[in-house]
């Protein structure tokens, strides 16, 4: 399923990780590496959102 707010390259990356994790036939090492890659992706996504000057604070 495509998500309009996620860039195509990110969707492809997440799809490949999903295939490794849930598609079967992957080793435990491959699954662990996929989990690490997704974790790094999410960290970078959060950091980029936190550093986005266009982002407004909902506090206050």
């Amino acid at each position: 399923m495509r998500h309009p707010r996620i860039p195509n390259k990110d969707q492809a990356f997440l799809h490949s990780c999903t295939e490794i994790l849930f598609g079967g036939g992957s080793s435990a090492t491959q699954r662990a590496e996929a989990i690490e890659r997704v974790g790094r992706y999410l960290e970078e996504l959060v950091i980029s959102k936190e550093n986005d000057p266009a982002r407004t604070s909902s506090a206050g």
Side-chain angles (χ1 to χ4, degrees), residues 21-38:
L21 292 172
F22 304 108
S26 300
S27 70
T29 301
Q30 290 171 315
R31 291 189 301 271
E33 290 171 351
I35 290 168
E36 287 179 22
R37 289 196 316 260
V38 170

Side-chain angles (χ1 to χ4, degrees), residues 2 8-24 26 30-31 33-35 37-38:
R2 295 282 184 203
N8 285 339
K9 68 179 181 91
D10 292 347
Q11 288 186 46
F13 164 75
L14 294 170
H15 178 76
S16 68
C17 289
T18 301
E19 286 295 314
I20 291 169
L21 292 172
F22 304 108
S26 300
Q30 290 171 315
R31 291 189 301 271
E33 290 171 351
I35 290 168
R37 289 196 316 260
V38 170

